[in-house]
Each structure stands twice: as C-alpha cells, then as structure tokens.
Amino acid sequence: YASSRGRPFARDWHLFAVHPDGGWPTPLELGPAVAIAWGPAEAVVLGRDRTDLTLWRGYRGGRRGHLWVQRTTDAPFEVIEHAHGLATPCFVGDRLLAVGDPDLVPQLIEILADGTQVLSDHPASHPVRDVRPCTDGVLYVAGPDVYRWSESHGVRPVPVQLRSSRPQLSRHFIHATAYLESVDAHNDGARCVVAVRGKPLVMGWFE
C-alpha cells in the first residue's frame, strides 16, 4: 500500500508491505510511488504521481501519471515514455495494462513497446477508474458500472445486485432545526440560503 507516513509532505507517497500473518509495515524502499505491479521474469512496474486520472482529466503537466519499469532485479528503473498520463499498472500474464488518457478520456489501455493500444471505449461521462487484476483479466469501474476485460472476451459489463433493506430505500424527512448548519441572507432581504445536513436550500424568509 502507499502512504505518506513519516514523510515531510502529505503528497510524498511511498510504498509499504504487510506480511499476511500480520506485523509492522515494511517500507519497500522504491522511492516515491502510489502503485506497484509485479510481472513475469521478476519485472516490477511503479505508478507515480497519479492514482486517478479523472482528478485532472487531460492534464499534461509535470505531475501527470508516470509508470517506471524494472525489467529484471538487477536492472535500473526506466520511465515509460508517453505524452499522456498513465496510472494503476496491472499485469495480465505478460501483458501490461493501465489506465491512460491519450484522447483526454481515461480508458483501459495496453502498453506496448511502440506505444499504447486502447482496449475500452467509454464515453467522457464514464472514465475508467480503479483497475484491479482478476482471473484471466482485470476488473475496473467506468461511471456507475463495473466491467471486466479478459483476453478471450474483451470488455463485458459485470451485473451487480445490491440487496438493500426496504427502509433504506424509503424517503426520509428530517427536522431542519435539528440539522441546521448555517444561514445567509440575500441582499434584497427576501431570500436566504440554508445549509441543512450538508445540503444547500434556497427559499424565502417566511416559507
């Protein structure tokens, strides 16, 4: 996992590991990083600067997402040169997948020796996020839905059913006096804005 524990700045994230049987976290001593993926032949890929490309969509500055690869244990880390952002690396066999935004919309991509290949095609309102490995592929989120990409079937939606209790689906009315946070009057004296339980409401003074 990544954490800025013991670092002088909140965004100075480094990687730590915890043994499955418990114990204290152990720093991996790999320098600044927010994600890591282990591949075949002892290859290691680090994700730096960005965990989610949707936060600064289309950003091309110095803190866009970068991936650094170490092909063998004795080799130095080398940056994967691309003009767009890269984040959340993941190996599927010997294929390296990640989230990239070559067309400004974060999509699932495969990183090749001569560039990238876009594997998904989601609209701008449904950018790809949170890539995670699974059997024969990866799972990721795009908009409100979960998708799975596999070598054999490509991109397919994953049906999700949330069995919630009926009281949680019913409408809930609260007493504004118990949850009133702040009130501010308009200059005309006829209207006001009220914050109640985290929601702003605009109304007349005598409604």
Side-chain angles (χ1 to χ4, degrees), residues 2 7 11-15 28-37 44-53 55-56 59 61-70 75-82 84-90 98-101 111:
R7 311 303 303 179
R11 297 173 67 177
D12 186 12
W13 290 51
H14 288 240
L15 296 173
L28 297 183
E29 303 293 350
L30 295 174
V34 294
I36 187 171
V44 178
V45 176
L46 300 178
R48 289 180 172 169
D49 292 330
R50 285 278 165 258
T51 57
D52 189 355
L53 297 185
L55 297 180
W56 285 1
Y59 175 66
R63 288 189 60 83
R64 70 181 185 275
H66 295 86
L67 297 185
W68 290 68
V69 59
Q70 183 186 45
F77 277 93
E78 300 175 353
V79 65
I80 298 177
E81 296 288 351
H82 284 290
H84 55 81
L86 296 170
T88 57
C90 180
V99 177
D101 57 353
I111 300 176

Side-chain angles (χ1 to χ4, degrees), residues 99-179:
V99 177
D101 57 353
D103 298 322
L104 304 183
V105 180
Q107 301 285 354
L108 181 68
I109 67 172
E110 180 181 2
I111 300 176
L112 307 172
D114 56 350
T116 59
Q117 176 185 358
V118 178
L119 302 177
S120 63
D121 184 20
H122 297 285
S125 59
H126 292 62
V128 171
R129 312 174 69 175
D130 301 327
V131 176
R132 296 290 184 270
C134 67
T135 303
D136 189 33
V138 295
L139 292 170
Y140 64 87
V141 176
D145 301 314
V146 179
Y147 293 85
R148 179 184 178 185
W149 176 90
S150 64
E151 295 180 298
S152 56
H153 297 92
V155 175
R156 292 187 300 173
V158 177
V160 177
Q161 292 184 347
L162 178 61
R163 300 187 180 277
S164 175
S165 60
R166 187 171 295 275
Q168 294 178 343
L169 300 176
S170 62
R171 300 176 65 186
H172 180 57
F173 299 92
I174 63 173
H175 297 285
T177 54
Y179 296 95

